[in-house]
Amino acid sequence: MPTLYGMPSTAAMAPHILLREIGRPFDLVLLDRDKGEHKSAAYLALNPHGRVPTLVDGDLVLYESAAICLHLADSHPEAKLAPAVGTAERAEFYKWLVYLTNSVQAEMLLYFYPERHVEGAEAQAAFKAATEARLNGHFDGLDRALAGRTWLLGDTYSAVDPYLFMLCRWTRFMGRPARTLTNLGPYLARVLERPAVKATFEAEGLGAPCY
């Protein structure tokens, strides 16, 4: 039985949702950030970067949220969480997942941890404001992409949807949350209605605002 290591409302959310969508039994280990459990020797033996998530699936130890999502989609084709390999739809799936993790998520890390990049409160505030402006541009583009679509790939729910939902959730306290946009708002509400997403929120002890 696989084990997913994570923390509530972190990059572990998308893999957590997918495990519940698949319906395969798994163990969930929620690490305590305040106690530094993600920096413990035991956890660093699994993930030397000391970040979440990490998936242990038999002999496989895998980290990076997008990589775990790809593995889960590929190892459980019956769940239909990704289009068939070699198709145009699969190429679009890759495009969105790489964009979300490489562009949007990367900007999110800049926004939440400005002290890693600049010194001083004033400089950090300016850095954060500039990052938020770029994030607004990303979400504007995603909002346009969702026009006339039920899910990011069209009519079919896939692994990129919980990934986008996870990133949108991180905007909930920003000046312009993703939920306020014309197409993203209803889209996020649809994702939240999925039983796997509701079960994930319950397991992680998350309440309102949900996104």
Side-chain angles (χ1 to χ4, degrees), residues 16-211:
H16 187 180
I17 292 171
L18 291 185
L19 282 164
R20 295 186 181 278
E21 289 281 357
I22 290 165
R24 179 182 175 187
F26 69 98
D27 286 327
L28 176 67
V29 177
L30 293 177
L31 303 173
D32 191 322
R33 185 191 300 273
D34 293 337
K35 293 181 179 178
E37 290 180 348
H38 59 305
K39 301 297 184 181
S40 69
Y43 186 69
L44 290 174
L46 297 173
N47 186 334
H49 302 289
R51 299 177 180 177
V52 293
T54 299
L55 179 74
V56 179
D57 190 358
D59 293 331
L60 175 67
V61 179
L62 189 63
Y63 44 84
E64 295 299 327
S65 186
I68 295 172
C69 289
L70 282 169
H71 167 66
L72 292 174
D74 287 344
S75 58
H76 297 84
E78 74 285 352
K80 298 182 179 179
L81 292 168
V85 174
T87 63
E89 291 78 12
R90 181 72 172 212
E92 187 177 8
F93 171 83
Y94 288 143
K95 176 193 75 175
W96 284 121
L97 187 59
V98 172
Y99 172 71
L100 292 174
T101 188
N102 192 57
S103 297
V104 184
Q105 189 172 357
E107 293 278 12
M108 287 285 193
L109 293 176
L110 297 178
Y111 175 85
F112 285 113
Y113 302 104
E115 70 280 359
R116 296 177 180 175
H117 307 279
V118 294
E119 296 182 359
E122 186 174 341
Q124 288 171 11
F127 182 90
K128 194 167 184 174
T131 304
E132 185 171 358
R134 291 195 300 272
L135 283 167
N136 285 341
H138 284 304
F139 287 109
D140 283 338
L142 287 159
D143 189 68
R144 290 191 294 270
L146 282 164
R149 296 188 177 196
T150 303
W151 307 114
L152 194 50
L153 295 186
D155 295 330
T156 304
Y157 183 84
S158 73
V160 295
D161 293 303
Y163 212 100
L164 175 54
F165 179 88
M166 175 182 75
L167 298 180
C168 288
R169 175 176 163 76
W170 296 352
T171 72
R172 66 194 183 282
F173 297 122
M174 293 183 184
R176 195 196 67 175
R179 66 176 180 271
T180 63
L181 299 184
T182 301
N183 300 307
L184 270 170
Y187 164 83
L188 295 171
R190 289 193 293 274
V191 177
L192 187 62
E193 284 303 306
R194 296 185 72 85
V197 179
K198 291 182 177 180
T200 297
F201 270 68
E202 183 177 357
E204 294 191 13
L206 303 176
C210 295
Y211 55 86

